Amino acid sequence: MDSNKAFMQRALELASRATGRTSPNPLVGAVVVKDGEIVGEGYHQKAGKPHAEVIALEAAGEHSRNATLYVTLEPCNHHGKTPPCTEAVIKAGISSVYAATLDPNPLVSGRGIERLKEAGIEVNVGLMEQEARNQNQFFFKYVTRGLPFVALKTAMTLDGKIATRTGDSRWITNEKSREYVHQLRNTYDAVLTGIGTVLKDNPRLNTRLPQEDTRDPIRLIIDARLEMPTDSWILQTASKQETVVYCLSGADSSRVRRFKELGAEVVVLRGSTGRVPLEEVFRDVAQRGLMSVLMEAGGQINAYALENRLVDKVYWFVAPRICGGDQAVSPVGGRGIELMSQTIDLKNVVVRTFDGDLLVEGYLDHE
């Protein structure tokens, strides 16, 4: 690995430390290098806190003059909660900048680079660009489409069942696989499920990991008629873990009040019968500044989301167990397709194992 790539790799590693913590801002890492040595580094920790470039430059101090800055995203050139990073870079006396990728926002993309060049700074864009874009996949979709990045997680037996014919589903996967799911919850801004899963499993949908630097995702519950029991884990802990319940306008108003009394927020969407429109749910999620959603739902919600092209990625666990049964439930319900040529295909597929369980990760091919 050449030195430029090594320094950008370090910036990417720094940025990753804040994974799941910066919404609605991107992950950004920065490294200041002089005479081949790192003299300052930093990463953006949370929205409202200093940006990575500012932290790295402050750490470098006077060593910033005539040094090179490596940053995983184009420095901003606008006033937000913090001043423009471009001005800090110019003031510090940086002579050259390597930016992994441009800001995806079409309103600002390229303007930070342009400002640096106007100040006489040599700028290079594109070093480890794909790695930087992958790292900020949540932010890129949120900024360009105004919607959260949506991942579907499910687990099934070798013969494609998520529960037995009696509805029993604990546990399909092993402890290692379940720990990885908690790592995902620690990464995604929100976790979504439906009333069917709540009634069947009474899930907590929190993050349970041994390390200290964890946080619980916001819980999004699809419950058209507000059937969720008031003694469920979710409602009993709604005052401690932010919980948003989406229902239709035909829901009982007294249930709305009761859910609110227990600490949940209730969002009433138009319609008295039928399904809660996930499209509207995800638009509401984005307006809250949440960039990512992990779906942990049942077959009907999974089918709706997939059929309507709302899913960006899947985490599909397969346990080496055989369930059997014509009445046993599958991960994706709905009517289904008629021809194999109509299948929903994955790209950039990665397969890994967790003590015998398989995990297939892949992105939906919406092209």
Side-chain angles (χ1 to χ4, degrees):
M1 182 183 294
D2 65 51
S3 60
N4 286 329
K5 196 170 182 179
F7 292 134
M8 186 62 78
Q9 180 62 45
R10 175 56 180 168
L12 288 165
E13 291 170 358
L14 290 166
S16 69
R17 293 182 180 180
T19 298
R21 306 298 188 269
T22 63
S23 292
N25 290 352
L27 296 167
V28 184
V31 172
V32 179
V33 176
K34 190 167 187 178
D35 298 327
E37 299 290 336
I38 294 177
V39 293
E41 58 183 31
Y43 65 96
H44 182 50
Q45 299 177 16
K46 187 178 181 181
K49 288 196 173 184
H51 288 188
E53 302 94 315
V54 172
I55 296 173
L57 291 169
E58 289 182 351
E62 287 301 315
H63 296 293
S64 296
R65 192 153 302 279
N66 296 319
T68 299
L69 172 69
Y70 295 81
V71 61
T72 59
L73 187 70
E74 173 186 10
C76 64
N77 190 45
H78 60 279
H79 282 273
K81 292 183 178 179
T82 59
C85 289
T86 51
E87 299 309 313
V89 173
I90 295 168
K91 184 178 180 180
I94 290 290
S95 61
S96 62
V97 172
Y98 283 85
T101 184
L102 296 177
D103 189 315
N105 188 336
L107 297 177
V108 300
S109 182
R111 295 187 180 181
I113 299 301
E114 182 181 344
R115 176 70 185 101
L116 295 177
K117 288 182 176 179
E118 288 175 353
I121 296 174
E122 179 186 347
V123 181
N124 301 275
V125 180
L127 178 62
M128 301 189 73
E129 179 175 11
Q130 194 56 55
E131 291 87 342
R133 291 176 67 91
N134 290 344
Q135 185 178 70
N136 265 318
Q137 58 187 341
F138 299 169
F139 178 72
F140 270 69
K141 183 184 179 186
Y142 176 78
V143 169
T144 59
R145 296 186 55 193
L147 291 169
F149 182 95
V150 178
L152 185 158
K153 168 264 165 184
T154 192
M156 68 181 192
T157 60
L158 199 59
D159 55 339
K161 308 299 184 182
I162 61 173
T164 68
R165 61 180 177 82
T166 64
D168 182 55
S169 60
R170 291 194 175 182
W171 295 99
I172 294 174
T173 53
N174 61 37
E175 186 175 343
K176 287 290 185 182
S177 295
R178 298 198 298 274
E179 181 179 335
Y180 184 72
V181 173
H182 284 277
Q183 294 285 1
L184 293 176
R185 291 180 187 173
N186 192 37
T187 298
Y188 281 76
D189 293 332
V191 59
L192 179 149
T193 198
I195 181 60
T197 300
V198 174
L199 293 175
K200 180 167 63 73
D201 295 338
N202 192 22
R204 303 183 191 187
L205 299 181
N206 59 1
T207 301
R208 302 187 293 279
L209 292 169
Q211 62 260 37
E212 295 182 0
D213 59 336
T214 62
R215 62 98 174 93
D216 292 327
I218 294 174
R219 296 180 296 203
L220 312 173
I221 313 300
I222 308 301
D223 186 2
R225 295 183 293 275
L226 297 184
E227 300 173 282
M228 186 162 40
T230 54
D231 62 352
S232 65
W233 271 106
I234 288 172
L235 283 180
Q236 286 298 307
T237 58
S239 62
K240 299 178 182 178
Q241 182 178 349
E242 189 172 350
T243 303
V244 184
V245 183
Y246 294 90
C247 69
L248 297 177
S249 53
D252 188 334
S253 59
S254 65
R255 296 284 290 174
V256 173
R257 289 194 297 272
R258 183 58 181 144
F259 279 32
K260 290 181 178 179
E261 289 172 358
L262 290 169
E265 179 181 352
V266 179
V267 176
V268 181
L269 301 174
R270 285 182 294 180
S272 57
T273 60
R275 294 182 175 181
V276 172
L278 289 181
E279 299 90 336
E280 292 189 33
V281 170
F282 291 142
R283 281 194 288 269
D284 178 75
V285 167
Q287 290 173 2
R288 296 169 183 269
L290 304 175
M291 299 195 301
S292 59
V293 176
L294 179 66
M295 291 180 54
E296 296 190 43
Q300 296 307 311
I301 287 181
N302 289 346
Y304 182 107
L306 289 167
E307 289 168 3
N308 288 279
R309 302 165 69 89
L310 302 176
V311 178
D312 298 293
K313 183 177 184 178
V314 299
Y315 298 94
W316 208 284
F317 288 90
V318 182
R321 315 171 76 180
I322 297 172
C323 183
D326 292 336
Q327 304 303 312
V329 186
S330 298
V332 181
R335 183 178 179 183
I337 61 169
E338 295 181 358
L339 302 172
M340 274 296 171
S341 60
Q342 300 171 336
T343 58
I344 299 169
D345 298 334
L346 301 183
K347 60 183 180 181
N348 301 330
V349 174
V350 175
V351 179
R352 65 177 80 182
T353 61
F354 294 91
D355 283 354
D357 288 350
L358 292 179
L359 170 61
V360 179
E361 292 185 30
Y363 292 85
L364 277 291
D365 191 353
H366 290 317
E367 296 180 359

